[in-house]
Amino acid sequence: MDKVNILGVHVDMVNISQAADCIVTFLGEEKFHAVFTPNSEIIMHAYKNPEFAKLLNRAELLTADGIGVVYASKFLKKPIRERAAGYDIARQVLNKINGTGHKLFLFGGKPGVAQEAKKNLLKEYPELNIVGMRDGYFRPEDEEEIVEQINNSGADMVFVCLGAPKQEEWIGRHREKLEVRVAMGIGGSLDVFAGRVTRAPEIFQKTGMEWFYRLCKEPWRIRRMMDLPKFAVTVMTNGRKYNQN
């Protein structure tokens, strides 16, 4: 797949449908695949932290979860045509694997969220095979047990919903031990599946203003979103040097 190098992070130039098809292909291969969906905030974190950038670039699929990343790709003359958010990709993947026998593990959220998510998902996808759940509250010494729980479930895909960069770092630490074929970091998607959080109305999503809707609902995000203008300036001043070859 073609990629665009955004401040050292090699983002795949795929839309939602292409990403979902790619993940289904991964499920047919007998090896591990990591899937991350970085937004501008995460790319800025990687820009400042080379080891985290290496972790992201080791993933088998990186999609543009954020309108800022899409705009950056256009500025760099390698345009990504569509924002490919983790939640939207996950929805398409669930639709494709419903009734196929593929086994899904849900990992993350507050206690009870994964159970609520499973209940709601089975209403929409009655033949979905959810084989295990685990909340996202754990101590470092619990991590090996969590890996064992996922492996013992027989899952071939795990949705890791710990929020970034925690979920990417968790997957990176354990990718050699996980026996799943796909580990996908999708942030707060479990809360949406569970019905505890609602997504922005479609008009906000289509106009690239979902960030503004979320900010209005959760004003505490303002400190995190201050990275957006920094990201734009950094791409304009330093972005092209990453795509010279």
Side-chain angles (χ1 to χ4, degrees), residues 1-13 69 72-74 76-80 242-243:
M1 293 178 290
D2 289 335
K3 297 176 181 285
V4 54
N5 186 332
I6 302 178
L7 301 180
V9 176
H10 303 263
V11 182
D12 290 289
M13 299 169 66
V69 181
S73 73
K74 293 179 180 180
L76 297 170
K77 308 300 183 184
K78 297 189 72 174
I80 297 170
Y242 290 92
N243 290 273

Side-chain angles (χ1 to χ4, degrees), residues 131-149:
V131 296
M133 294 160 289
R134 173 79 183 223
D135 67 61
Y137 286 69
F138 56 89
R139 300 164 300 174
E141 56 266 33
D142 298 328
E143 294 193 23
E144 293 297 328
E145 184 270 329
I146 295 171
V147 171
E148 184 177 353
Q149 182 182 353

Side-chain angles (χ1 to χ4, degrees), residues 61-125:
L61 181 65
L62 285 176
T63 73
D65 186 347
I67 197 65
V69 181
V70 173
Y71 287 155
S73 73
K74 293 179 180 180
F75 175 80
L76 297 170
K77 308 300 183 184
K78 297 189 72 174
I80 297 170
R81 302 296 180 184
E82 178 183 64
R83 175 189 174 216
Y87 176 84
D88 296 317
I89 298 168
R91 278 288 186 188
Q92 286 209 15
V93 170
L94 292 173
N95 188 59
K96 290 175 182 292
I97 69 171
N98 186 37
T100 64
H102 285 299
K103 300 174 183 178
L104 174 65
F105 193 103
L106 305 176
F107 173 34
K110 294 179 180 179
V113 167
Q115 287 78 5
E116 293 172 21
K118 176 181 178 179
K119 181 179 178 180
N120 289 343
L121 288 173
L122 289 178
K123 290 178 183 177
E124 295 185 62
Y125 311 99

Side-chain angles (χ1 to χ4, degrees), residues 17 23 26 36 42 79 97 127 131 146 158 169 179 210 217 219 224 226 241-242:
S17 179
I23 291 168
F26 290 164
F36 301 142
I42 294 306
I97 69 171
E127 296 182 83
V131 296
I146 295 171
V158 55
E169 292 170 344
E179 296 173 5
E210 188 171 6
K217 298 282 285 186
R224 293 172 56 181
M226 289 305 294
K241 74 178 183 182
Y242 290 92

